[in-house]
Amino acid sequence: MTDKTIVIGTETKYPLNGILTIPDINNELLPAVVLVHGSGPSDMDEKIGNNTPFKDLAEGLAEIGIAVLRYDKRTFVYGKEMINDTGLSVKEETIEDAILAKDFLQKDPRIDSNKIFIVGHSLGGMLAPRIDAEGGDFAGIVIMGGSPRKFEEIIMDQNNAVLNSLNKFLKIIARKQIEALSSKFDNIYNISDEEAKTIPVLGKSCRAYYLKEMGQHPSIDYLKVLDKPVFILQGDKDFQVSVEKDFNGYKEILGDKPNISFKLYPNLNHLFMPSVFGEIRKAKKEYEVAQHLDKQVVKDISDWILSI
């Protein structure tokens, strides 16, 4: 395979460096994938702790004959410039660049323009159906560790999981903080956009408008009407999303749709790597352990893409 350094969005305010990994196959149009990051600033490898799941996925898929485009997330490169943008939404943070990445691939003569797929991880998986609907128009969608729920519901579950792991004294302090956060979330959809832009909810940079705008475009609404192929994957030791509420939630809502496939992987965490500690309180330690994306996951994604 060959790694080529590229730039997407060259004519925008936010050009982003990326890598296009091309299999060494001649005289044949290649299927291709755009990788879309999870929440927070992230480089093109989606480096989390000592792990690089997007690098692993790009190299693994390229070995099987699928080109992969990965790129730095806009907030990773331009976070300081964007931090004061009170109207920041997932559209500016993620959606626009994923569509630009698709456009980039379509112009490459080596790529089969009818076989470009989106693989979204975590929040990227939640957004993938919206990205497809708002201009991506992909051949198919892969959702890795995503959720059919609203983002704030997942955040509250994560906070409550941490709360339940604390001792009695710390629980008292943490419960008050979590209740204050919950009250902010409860009111998000009852206030105007302009007011939402003035209310910080997660640190100083994430405002209520970010969650409100995302929540008004539920991913499940896109999936319910979608007839193109979708593959939903999750690890059963994922402590950032829930098997019961998220993976099974997808199945409960979408399980009778013939275009949607599901797979749950034993003993894999949110990065689709072997579980180490298996609890959200030890997330930092979990991801400090250097591992690689499970090979079966790479094979299943590639088999699914090549079958379409």
Side-chain angles (χ1 to χ4, degrees):
M1 72 188 77
T2 303
D3 279 343
K4 180 185 176 185
T5 301
I6 58 94
V7 179
I8 65 164
T10 52
E11 297 176 359
T12 72
K13 285 172 59 181
Y14 303 108
L16 299 170
N17 290 329
I19 290 177
L20 176 57
T21 304
I22 293 281
D24 291 332
I25 298 175
N26 297 320
N27 303 320
E28 186 178 328
L29 288 176
L30 298 165
V33 160
V34 172
L35 300 182
V36 181
H37 321 76
S39 58
S42 183
D43 69 7
M44 66 185 77
D45 294 332
E46 204 189 30
K47 189 174 191 297
I48 301 171
N50 289 311
N51 297 286
T52 53
F54 276 9
K55 184 174 187 287
D56 291 348
L57 190 54
E59 292 177 352
L61 292 177
E63 283 180 1
I64 304 169
I66 299 166
V68 180
L69 178 55
R70 65 194 198 270
Y71 52 89
D72 291 330
K73 194 170 178 180
R74 193 184 295 191
T75 46
F76 178 77
V77 181
Y78 301 102
K80 289 181 180 178
E81 295 94 318
M82 299 175 73
I83 197 168
N84 295 319
D85 180 3
T86 59
L88 178 68
S89 72
V90 290
K91 193 170 183 69
E92 297 80 23
E93 182 196 37
T94 300
I95 294 172
E96 292 175 351
D97 296 321
I99 293 170
L100 287 171
K102 161 72 182 309
D103 294 342
F104 184 96
L105 286 174
Q106 277 196 302
K107 295 172 185 174
D108 191 313
R110 297 167 292 184
I111 304 298
D112 185 342
S113 61
N114 295 313
K115 291 289 181 72
I116 302 175
F117 297 80
I118 182 170
V119 176
H121 177 231
S122 194
L123 180 61
M126 293 170 66
L127 294 174
R130 180 177 171 187
I131 294 167
D132 177 74
E134 294 192 358
D137 193 21
F138 293 90
I141 297 170
V142 179
I143 298 173
M144 301 178 68
S147 171
R149 297 182 291 154
K150 289 180 177 169
F151 194 45
E152 60 268 23
E153 294 175 41
I154 300 164
I155 292 169
M156 287 307 304
D157 271 4
Q158 291 174 351
N159 275 274
N160 285 322
V162 173
L163 176 69
N164 292 333
S165 71
L166 300 176
N167 63 44
K168 187 175 180 181
F169 175 72
L170 290 175
K171 267 186 182 178
I172 295 170
I173 299 170
R175 185 174 285 114
K176 289 181 180 178
Q177 295 172 334
I178 291 170
E179 285 172 354
L181 181 62
S182 179
S183 67
K184 288 183 179 180
F185 289 160
D186 289 343
N187 203 39
I188 281 175
Y189 301 101
N190 300 321
I191 58 179
S192 68
D193 288 353
E194 290 311 308
E195 186 179 354
K197 291 175 184 178
T198 69
I199 301 173
V201 288
L202 298 169
K204 294 180 180 179
S205 58
C206 180
R207 297 177 183 262
Y209 178 74
Y210 178 91
L211 295 172
K212 182 185 181 188
E213 195 277 341
M214 190 186 342
Q216 289 171 331
H217 299 84
S219 65
I220 202 69
D221 286 359
Y222 298 98
L223 289 167
K224 284 178 181 176
V225 298
L226 202 63
D227 58 6
K228 63 180 61 176
V230 179
F231 187 19
I232 297 175
L233 305 75
Q234 189 175 314
D236 75 352
K237 292 294 191 294
D238 190 330
F239 49 72
Q240 291 181 246
V241 292
S242 157
V243 173
E244 178 187 353
K245 294 181 180 179
D246 297 310
F247 184 77
N248 290 342
Y250 277 126
K251 291 187 80 171
E252 186 176 332
I253 300 166
L254 306 167
D256 60 347
K257 287 177 65 65
N259 60 307
I260 300 185
S261 305
F262 304 86
K263 185 160 183 182
L264 185 66
Y265 294 85
N267 201 44
L268 295 189
N269 63 23
H270 193 58
L271 304 188
F272 290 82
M273 298 173 183
S275 176
V276 182
F277 298 103
E279 54 181 296
I280 195 166
R281 190 167 59 91
K282 295 182 179 178
K284 186 175 180 182
K285 285 185 178 180
E286 174 106 5
Y287 300 142
E288 281 175 353
V289 178
Q291 301 194 85
H292 290 286
L293 197 78
D294 185 80
K295 289 184 178 179
Q296 187 62 48
V297 173
V298 177
K299 183 179 187 303
D300 289 343
I301 293 173
S302 63
D303 286 351
W304 180 84
I305 287 172
L306 295 174
S307 73
I308 293 166

